Amino acid sequence: MKIITNLSELIEIRKNLSEPVGFVPTMGYLHEGHLSLVRQAKQDCNNVIVSIFVNPTQFGPNEDLNSYPRDLERDCSLLREVGTDVVWIPETNEMYPENFQTWVIVNNLTKPLEGARRPDHFRGVTTIVAKLFNAVQPNKAYFGQKDAQQAIVIKRMVKDLNYPIDIVVCPIVREPDGLAMSSRNTYLSEDERNAATVLYRGLNAAKDLFERGVHDADKIRTIVRKTIEAEPLAKLQYVSCADPHTLEELVGEFSQSLLSIAVFVGKTRLIDNIVLQKKN
Ligand code: PAF
């Protein structure tokens, strides 16, 4: 496994890789969720490149850029175990040269949900992902369903900018008690970690209701809200039952939705989602 930092080195190595090349962009502090993406890429592709870059432009001023967990040594050993070919750890001054002023912005899809609570977050994500794509030139790129809106936004960007890249979205990987894996879970105290299962419980309560024939968007949002409000350490920021393509909030009866939530457990902000789909 090659570990590199320079952009010029990456470009040189990329020239000699046989295709298809799979790419997994990450911010490091890897867990099973990331590794599942690499494993999928290994299955699909001849070579797999993983990037590790804590991208400053996708963090808001009051967010956790400085405290975001980092452990490059552990990350590289995990990536070696799953058979990664190249790890690229870009340098901040190469990704954001002095006087940087060019952005990639996806409009409507970034307005609701995460975009409404984290202004400029998606501008940072799409800009860095576009830059990583330009350098890596992958045939396929892998993203987790955990960041459902991010995956939808990236797919739109790839279509709109004519990137010849197939975007593969892989399922959420959960802890045995249902908590979606996230690098931010490491912030939780023991009590908060136990309370954090409420996200999955809330989504599951809605899924049960939906499967029992209740297909009204308001009722679905209400059961999630009530489940989360019953947990004293949790504070719901939003629950959304939205069209999975446009991300517009649904009203009345629906047959398909992205049900997504953001919840503060103590000071840690966690997100999760499920897709609800009527069976024929
Ligand atoms: O999902 C992430 O970890 C980040 O948003 C990404 C895609 C690596 C861009 O920084």
Side-chain angles (χ1 to χ4, degrees):
M1 184 176 85
K2 291 197 171 76
I3 302 175
I4 55 175
T5 53
N6 288 344
L7 178 57
S8 53
E9 224 180 322
L10 187 266
I11 291 168
E12 211 39 53
I13 288 176
R14 172 65 182 88
K15 282 185 194 155
N16 299 316
L17 295 180
S18 67
E19 298 195 342
V21 168
F23 176 48
V24 182
T26 81
M27 298 207 300
Y29 212 71
L30 305 179
H31 50 66
E32 266 308 309
H34 300 107
L35 299 179
S36 73
L37 304 180
V38 180
R39 287 194 194 97
Q40 187 61 53
K42 280 294 289 176
Q43 272 191 28
D44 300 345
C45 303
N46 276 342
N47 280 286
V48 176
I49 303 180
V50 176
S51 65
I52 301 177
F53 182 64
V54 182
N55 173 36
T57 63
Q58 68 187 75
F59 288 79
N62 299 318
E63 293 184 356
D64 55 345
L65 172 62
N66 293 330
S67 58
Y68 195 83
R70 291 159 169 91
D71 190 343
L72 282 177
E73 212 169 296
R74 183 174 160 276
D75 288 347
C76 287
S77 96
L78 290 169
L79 290 173
R80 188 171 286 116
E81 275 170 34
V82 292
T84 307
D85 299 284
V86 180
V87 181
W88 179 31
I89 308 172
E91 282 158 6
T92 306
N93 60 0
E94 270 199 314
M95 289 297 99
Y96 295 107
E98 215 183 316
N99 206 19
F100 181 89
Q101 49 191 294
T102 306
W103 300 96
V104 175
I105 296 172
V106 173
N107 252 332
N108 296 346
L109 287 171
T110 62
K111 298 238 159 77
L113 311 177
E114 290 300 286
R117 278 85 191 177
R118 305 183 67 190
D120 292 340
H121 168 68
F122 285 115
R123 180 185 81 155
V125 170
T126 43
T127 301
I128 195 65
V129 171
K131 288 169 67 75
L132 296 170
F133 282 178
N134 292 342
V136 173
Q137 307 210 351
N139 305 99
K140 287 171 171 277
Y142 296 78
F143 293 84
Q145 171 65 17
K146 158 97 185 332
D147 294 298
Q149 187 176 14
Q150 170 172 281
I152 292 167
V153 166
I154 298 287
K155 278 188 178 168
R156 187 71 253 165
M157 178 188 84
V158 160
K159 254 206 181 111
D160 290 351
L161 297 183
N162 305 108
Y163 278 105
I165 302 172
D166 181 18
I167 300 299
V168 182
V169 182
C170 298
I172 297 177
V173 179
R174 298 183 179 280
E175 301 285 357
D177 63 7
L179 178 65
M181 291 207 182
S182 161
S183 306
R184 290 189 168 102
N185 292 349
T186 176
Y187 298 148
L188 300 168
S189 69
E190 199 179 326
D191 286 348
E192 289 167 352
R193 171 64 189 79
N194 291 330
T197 57
V198 77
L199 278 83
Y200 190 53
R201 285 188 276 120
L203 294 174
N204 258 333
K207 181 165 174 270
D208 286 348
L209 191 66
F210 185 77
E211 283 172 359
R212 279 187 275 125
V214 178
H215 297 154
D216 178 82
D218 251 340
K219 292 195 172 118
I220 292 292
R221 284 185 284 261
T222 301
I223 192 164
V224 178
R225 188 172 298 118
K226 285 199 168 143
T227 310
I228 288 170
E229 281 170 0
E231 169 50 65
L233 294 182
K235 194 167 181 337
L236 180 69
Q237 189 181 39
Y238 69 79
V239 51
S240 157
C241 182
D243 180 291
H245 306 291
T246 63
L247 297 181
E248 279 164 19
E249 222 41 53
L250 293 163
V251 181
E253 294 272 313
F254 68 91
S255 55
Q256 218 197 102
S257 85
L258 173 69
L259 182 63
S260 59
I261 52 180
V263 178
F264 281 96
V265 180
K267 288 202 169 90
T268 305
R269 184 176 183 278
L270 301 175
I271 58 171
D272 200 350
N273 69 81
I274 52 170
V275 172
L276 298 176
Q277 171 104 50
K278 238 189 216 173
K279 291 192 182 89
N280 297 321

